[in-house]
Amino acid sequence: MRKLLLVHFSLLAFSCLIAQPTTGLVGYFNFNNNLTNTGSATISATNNSVTYGTDSTGTINRALQFNGTVNSYVSISDNGNLDFTGDFTISLAVYLTSRTASQGILDNCLNYGGYGLFYFNGDTSFHFNFRNASIGSIKTTTNRWKAITIQRNSNTLKIYENGVLTSSGNIGTPPPAYNYPI
């Protein structure tokens, strides 16, 4: 069964651009002025120097606004529900206000071992890392919402931007050990 995690986020701003699916969904954070998970699994989130902003549809308090420092983040504890070993899909929307600094957007603190979505200013693109493999997307722009989906399907990693496949590649080795919360 494919596991799904949908997040609304907002420097960085994240906001959901699609309707909530139900099949395989383990976490769904819609940021309706809170960090409540409405997915099927018991997953909680903690706010660290993050405020609520306006999402891609203009709805107030439906996106997260990070202040651009390493002290501004959301920590998600998942009791194993987000320790992906098989196929998974993670969807979110990102709004970058600057391309001058590399940023971790979604990171399970395992470097290249586990999954993560990162922005790298060296090539101004998003990268999806999983199992010591990394694929990059096309160059990105600032001050625009981008719907980003990262997916592991069998032995293939994929990045979609606004519904268009921008990159794919093989997964790496070895399987990750999930020692830290996302």
Side-chain angles (χ1 to χ4, degrees):
M1 170 194 282
R2 180 178 309 268
K3 290 185 177 183
L4 298 171
L5 173 67
L6 294 180
V7 289
H8 274 166
F9 281 102
S10 192
L11 192 73
L12 282 179
F14 301 95
S15 171
C16 188
L17 299 177
I18 59 174
Q20 178 181 345
T22 55
T23 304
L25 183 69
V26 294
Y28 181 74
F29 294 86
N30 65 13
F31 305 137
N32 191 12
N33 205 30
N34 63 54
L35 290 172
T36 302
N37 171 31
T38 59
S40 64
T42 303
I43 303 170
S44 62
T46 304
N47 178 343
N48 297 283
S49 298
V50 177
T51 58
Y52 292 95
T54 303
D55 73 6
S56 61
T57 66
T59 305
I60 297 171
N61 294 328
R62 290 291 301 263
L64 297 179
Q65 180 73 41
F66 298 91
N67 70 19
T69 70
V70 296
N71 296 320
S72 180
Y73 61 93
V74 170
S75 179
I76 300 174
S77 60
D78 71 271
N79 68 15
N81 287 293
L82 300 177
D83 297 351
F84 302 141
T85 56
D87 292 344
F88 63 88
T89 301
I90 300 173
S91 296
L92 47 95
V94 178
Y95 186 97
L96 292 174
T97 59
S98 171
R99 295 190 311 174
T100 59
S102 296
Q103 304 172 48
I105 297 170
L106 180 67
D107 183 3
N108 68 347
C109 302
L110 297 178
N111 296 319
Y112 284 92
Y115 59 90
L117 177 66
F118 303 90
Y119 167 76
F120 288 108
N121 69 325
D123 64 3
T124 64
S125 69
F126 294 108
H127 288 251
F128 173 25
N129 298 339
F130 182 67
R131 290 179 63 167
N132 298 314
S134 179
I135 58 171
S137 65
I138 58 176
K139 293 182 184 295
T140 193
T141 57
T142 59
N143 301 315
R144 290 184 194 194
W145 284 101
K146 290 258 187 170
I148 306 293
T149 299
I150 56 176
Q151 180 180 70
R152 179 211 174 166
N153 188 355
S154 188
N155 290 323
T156 303
L157 303 177
K158 297 178 182 179
I159 298 178
Y160 295 86
E161 289 188 31
N162 296 329
V164 175
L165 178 66
T166 60
S167 185
S168 66
N170 294 326
I171 66 169
T173 57
Y178 293 98
N179 302 321
Y180 305 100
I182 187 169

